[in-house]
Amino acid sequence: MIRSLPRSKTYDWSFNAFIILYFVFLFAPLVVTCVLAFNNSDFPSLPWQGFSLDWFLADGPDRVGLFHDAQNLRSILTSFETAFFVSILSVVVGTCASFLFEKETFRFKGLLYMLMLAPLVIPGVILGISQLLAANTAGTFFDDTFGVDIPIFRPSFWLVVLGQFSFITTFVTLVVSARLRKFDPSLEEAALNLGATHFGVIRHVTLKFLRPAIVGAGAVAFLMSFENFNTTLFLVGSEPTLPINLYLQVRDGSTPVINAVSLMLIVGTSLLALINFYFTRKTD
């Protein structure tokens, strides 16, 4: 534990072996998935049959690549649209909630804060089932009582958005709150003394300080929404997101096109993480 003390060869060997095994365990499945995207085989598994770009570019009739697969492309677009709306809603509401819990004092604040954290500890399957039952109950009530059919209460795109928003916004609140605790209130007081309005102080002082946390939380919220499966499975309608579509393909038997999709997702999320890291450091 003390770096200045001499270390035995056994310790050095164990230390290096642990690092190697850890990263092999972490990245080996991803590497295999990416390599199999170029496998000239009709099955998404080994053995290696040779290099091929068919699972990206082929246009049939024997093989259909990712860029000509209407079903996968449509599900990717649906996932992007879902993640966009979920991240926007989560950032707006989560930021407001962080101001509420960090800057305001009111009755039952501790209890309400614990209730806000509840979606993080409740399994996604339970969340999905409970939201589906609640939506169906509300839809049935409005239909029976007022004769009004409200589409949002049926499994659909917007029900998925609301379902994911209900727990992702909690994560955004925690991230922004952690940053807000480090904020010096005297900066706001100084701006007010210099004649700034309350809105101007929030816009030019507080939100500017919170920008790295807001950008980071928004990026993670986008990724959490894009890859969510457990909750989405119970709320999705006729427009499946990419994780649901991949699950259906794997369940029914698929081709290496799922490896091609996985490769594109790995590349896309890595680029998004790098962009988020760059802008976070730039604005910090």
Side-chain angles (χ1 to χ4, degrees), residues 73 86-87 125 144 153 183-184 231 259 270:
L73 293 177
V86 170
S87 58
V125 173
D144 294 342
F153 290 139
F183 181 71
D184 185 1
T231 304
N259 300 105
S270 299

Side-chain angles (χ1 to χ4, degrees), residues 169-182:
T169 187
T170 300
F171 170 80
V172 175
T173 302
L174 293 177
V175 173
V176 178
S177 295
R179 176 77 173 179
L180 188 57
R181 292 191 190 102
K182 301 178 182 179

Side-chain angles (χ1 to χ4, degrees), residues 267-281:
V267 173
T269 52
S270 299
L271 290 176
L272 181 60
L274 290 175
I275 293 172
N276 175 56
F277 178 75
Y278 171 76
F279 282 104
T280 300
R281 291 194 60 184

Side-chain angles (χ1 to χ4, degrees), residues 2-225:
I2 303 176
R3 296 182 180 276
S4 60
L5 296 178
R7 301 184 301 186
S8 66
K9 291 184 178 180
T10 303
Y11 176 86
D12 289 336
W13 183 89
S14 301
F15 179 78
N16 294 330
F18 171 79
I19 293 177
I20 294 173
L21 291 175
Y22 174 79
F23 283 101
V24 167
F25 177 80
L26 190 64
F27 289 105
L30 299 179
V31 172
V32 171
T33 298
C34 294
V35 170
L36 291 179
F38 303 98
N39 190 14
N40 188 24
S41 170
D42 292 331
F43 304 98
S45 60
L46 295 171
W48 180 256
Q49 301 291 337
F51 181 84
S52 174
L53 292 175
D54 286 352
W55 302 115
F56 293 92
L57 304 176
D59 193 17
D62 297 328
R63 293 179 177 180
V64 178
L66 171 62
F67 298 123
H68 297 281
D69 190 332
Q71 182 179 0
N72 278 314
L73 293 177
R74 185 166 54 250
S75 65
I76 292 174
L77 178 61
T78 300
S79 289
F80 269 107
E81 293 174 343
T82 303
F84 172 79
F85 286 107
V86 170
S87 58
I88 294 297
L89 290 173
S90 298
V91 166
V92 173
V93 176
T95 302
C96 293
S98 67
F99 276 90
L100 174 68
F101 287 110
E102 296 300 324
K103 287 184 168 292
E104 301 294 335
T105 301
F106 50 91
R107 295 182 63 185
F108 307 115
K109 178 179 177 180
L111 175 61
L112 294 176
Y113 187 82
M114 294 300 297
L115 291 176
M116 181 200 68
L117 298 179
L120 292 182
V121 298
I122 298 176
V125 173
I126 304 301
L127 280 176
I129 293 175
S130 61
Q131 289 165 358
L132 177 63
L133 293 177
N136 285 339
T137 301
T140 302
F141 171 79
F142 279 100
D143 191 18
D144 294 342
T145 306
F146 305 104
V148 178
D149 180 23
I150 303 178
I152 198 173
F153 290 139
R154 297 196 303 265
S156 61
F157 172 83
W158 289 109
L159 188 59
V160 171
V161 170
L162 292 178
Q164 294 184 2
F165 161 76
S166 67
F167 67 91
I168 293 179
T169 187
T170 300
F171 170 80
V172 175
T173 302
L174 293 177
V175 173
V176 178
S177 295
R179 176 77 173 179
L180 188 57
R181 292 191 190 102
K182 301 178 182 179
F183 181 71
D184 185 1
S186 63
L187 297 176
E188 291 181 333
E189 296 173 0
L192 290 172
N193 290 335
L194 293 174
T197 63
H198 286 281
F199 178 77
V201 170
I202 293 175
R203 178 183 177 186
H204 296 289
V205 179
T206 312
L207 290 181
K208 186 174 181 180
F209 177 81
L210 295 176
R211 188 184 303 166
I214 292 175
V215 172
V220 176
F222 186 94
L223 295 177
M224 290 178 65
S225 171

